[in-house]
Amino acid sequence: MNKFWIHWFSSSLVLMVILYLTISWGYTQCPWCEASAVEQSHKTSHRLFQGKNAAHSLSYGIITDVHGPWKAELLPTPLSLAEKISYIQQAVVEWQKRDVDFVISLGDFVNFKPDTAELPVDMKLVDEVLKNIGKQVYYSWGNHDFWTFSRKTLWESPFANLEMAQKRIGKDFDPDVDGHYFSFNPRNDVKIIILDSYDSTSIGRADDDADETLGVLMRRLQKRNDDIALFNGGISAKQLEWLDEQVKEADKKGAMVLIHAHIPLDRKTGNSKFFLTNASEVREILQKYRRSLKLFIAGHAHEGAVYRERDDLIHVTIDSWTEESRKRSNSAAFGIVQVWHNRVELHGFGPMNSQTFMSP
């Protein structure tokens, strides 16, 4: 009897040791185990960013609606130029610390056209701060950018990805007319798309150069429906055709598609008035393809929100550091998007929530 218990105890001890070693090995090798633990809290510890490895080979910074220091009557507590630069510097420091691969700005990096000579200074300072990252910055233009500059001026500014767009457009590029949209593949299984939310509007163009008279249509719609905001925009037929080709190509490869635009696609992600005017046409394209995860990431509404339309189609609006968000946090609102083989994680800073989006 004693031998039996001795044998039983020895066997149990061996099994416990094997189980302990197996679990310990799993947590050091499994790329998503630590991520799940970290993301349980809004106050992300960011332990995930301690170096690059094979399981995690892509991360990028994201920011939106920085705005500017002008027109106080339209922004109750506007950021001063110094606050704005400090705000962006907070993001740059974190992006550098985490060694992001690139940065995406979702627009409204200025506010309104000032009556002073401060605008060129503002643009120059913002550009210099962002260049300190030492990584490529990609831009999606917003309504405030068009209220401040013409489309041609934006194409000539530091906030244009001219080479990326010209690859799509070719030698017939026209800065007065052409939309600022493009795509690239930072990894074979990931496609990044930057849309032009105002490609189908007269904002930023002379009336006779407008691709479509969406501005006129929106004014008519607003007379019948106050849910329509005049500063929303739309995607042109040409851009829609291009988007369909991009998503179809990625779907065939089973690649994740991360779409970025200034304006949200769905009114459930933020203020119900802020959405693409021809959102149904964009949604129709995205709903055709179901093989891989598709995220539609936008700004414009200032308040963060998530709407999971389908397992493979998720809408995300990210926070900006506005009057409302500053009541919740004294830290600037920005994020880091981290792409793994089976999911995408948004690591939020300041008032921005952290989120995990699993592949279907």
Side-chain angles (χ1 to χ4, degrees):
M1 191 70 173
N2 291 337
K3 288 183 179 180
F4 169 80
W5 286 109
I6 291 172
H7 177 73
W8 180 86
F9 179 81
S10 300
S11 299
S12 300
L13 184 62
V14 171
L15 287 172
M16 290 174 66
V17 171
I18 292 173
L19 181 61
Y20 173 80
L21 292 174
T22 301
I23 293 173
S24 300
W25 179 89
Y27 272 98
T28 57
Q29 301 297 318
C30 170
W32 57 86
C33 296
E34 186 178 31
S36 298
V38 170
E39 290 308 307
Q40 293 302 312
S41 171
H42 169 58
K43 296 181 179 179
T44 308
S45 67
H46 301 287
R47 288 176 293 165
L48 294 173
F49 296 103
Q50 295 177 356
K52 305 261 182 174
N53 54 55
H56 158 231
S57 58
L58 175 63
S59 67
Y60 61 93
I62 193 159
I63 194 168
T64 191
D65 294 86
V66 177
H67 291 288
W70 312 296
K71 297 285 185 181
E73 69 273 15
L74 296 178
L75 192 61
T77 312
L79 294 175
S80 69
L81 185 55
E83 285 177 315
K84 178 177 173 179
I85 296 304
S86 174
Y87 170 8
I88 300 172
Q89 284 175 331
Q90 287 183 48
V92 169
V93 168
E94 291 295 336
W95 292 333
Q96 288 176 321
K97 188 186 300 182
R98 317 301 179 187
D99 190 26
V100 299
D101 295 293
F102 53 89
V103 171
I104 294 178
S105 169
L106 296 178
D108 281 3
F109 42 82
V110 294
N111 199 20
F112 293 94
K113 197 169 187 176
D115 296 325
T116 69
E118 200 172 29
L119 179 59
V121 175
D122 179 68
M123 285 188 68
K124 183 179 179 181
L125 285 173
V126 171
D127 182 46
E128 287 177 354
V129 172
L130 289 174
K131 281 182 177 176
N132 286 335
I133 304 169
K135 301 293 176 70
Q136 179 67 55
V137 182
Y138 300 101
Y139 296 95
S140 177
W141 297 338
N143 52 297
H144 283 259
D145 308 323
F146 285 115
W147 287 340
T148 307
F149 306 105
S150 67
R151 180 169 288 270
K152 182 177 181 180
T153 302
L154 281 171
W155 272 117
E156 296 169 348
S157 76
F159 308 116
N161 300 110
L162 188 58
E163 291 184 8
M164 297 294 294
Q166 283 183 322
K167 287 180 182 178
R168 171 185 59 80
I169 300 167
K171 62 182 181 180
D172 296 327
F173 169 67
D174 185 344
D176 285 316
V177 177
D178 285 318
H180 186 261
Y181 57 93
F182 52 89
S183 70
F184 60 97
N185 294 84
R187 212 169 66 187
N188 288 335
D189 61 342
V190 178
K191 178 180 282 289
I192 301 289
I193 295 176
I194 308 291
L195 295 181
D196 186 336
S197 301
Y198 294 89
D199 185 34
S200 184
T201 175
S202 58
I203 295 177
R205 295 187 177 99
D207 289 340
D208 56 349
D209 288 333
D211 184 32
E212 296 175 28
T213 56
L214 188 62
V216 175
L217 173 62
M218 288 167 65
R219 282 190 287 274
R220 289 175 182 167
L221 287 172
Q222 193 181 47
K223 289 180 180 179
R224 301 195 304 268
N225 183 355
D226 61 6
D227 281 346
I228 301 295
L230 289 178
F231 44 78
N232 289 345
I235 305 296
S236 68
K238 183 178 180 181
Q239 188 177 178
L240 285 170
E241 183 179 352
W242 172 86
L243 177 63
D244 196 339
E245 293 172 356
Q246 297 298 309
V247 179
K248 181 179 180 179
E249 177 188 43
D251 191 69
K252 284 182 179 178
K253 298 177 180 178
M256 291 184 187
V257 182
L258 280 67
I259 303 169
H260 304 77
H262 180 67
I263 305 178
L265 179 60
D266 195 282
R267 66 173 68 208
K268 294 184 180 69
T269 51
N271 189 309
S272 62
K273 292 187 178 183
F274 298 164
F275 59 96
L276 285 170
T277 307
N278 59 339
S280 60
E281 295 176 273
V282 180
R283 180 180 278 104
E284 184 179 344
I285 291 172
L286 301 183
Q287 289 178 340
K288 287 196 297 185
Y289 308 104
R290 306 185 68 108
R291 186 175 177 186
S292 59
L293 179 65
K294 294 176 288 297
L295 291 183
F296 195 101
I297 305 173
H300 193 48
H302 296 180
E303 293 293 315
V306 174
Y307 168 51
R308 300 173 188 268
E309 182 172 338
R310 280 187 339 204
D311 288 345
D312 65 311
L313 179 55
I314 303 173
H315 307 264
V316 183
T317 300
I318 67 171
D319 294 85
S320 67
W321 204 30
T322 60
E323 168 81 359
E324 293 77 17
S325 65
R326 274 183 276 174
K327 293 176 183 177
R328 304 197 307 270
S329 173
N330 289 324
S331 175
F334 60 94
I336 295 177
V337 178
Q338 193 171 22
V339 184
W340 304 76
H341 74 283
N342 66 340
R343 73 193 184 286
V344 176
E345 295 176 350
L346 170 62
H347 299 264
F349 293 77
M352 188 182 297
N353 287 316
S354 295
Q355 305 277 349
T356 299
F357 311 106
M358 302 299 299
S359 292

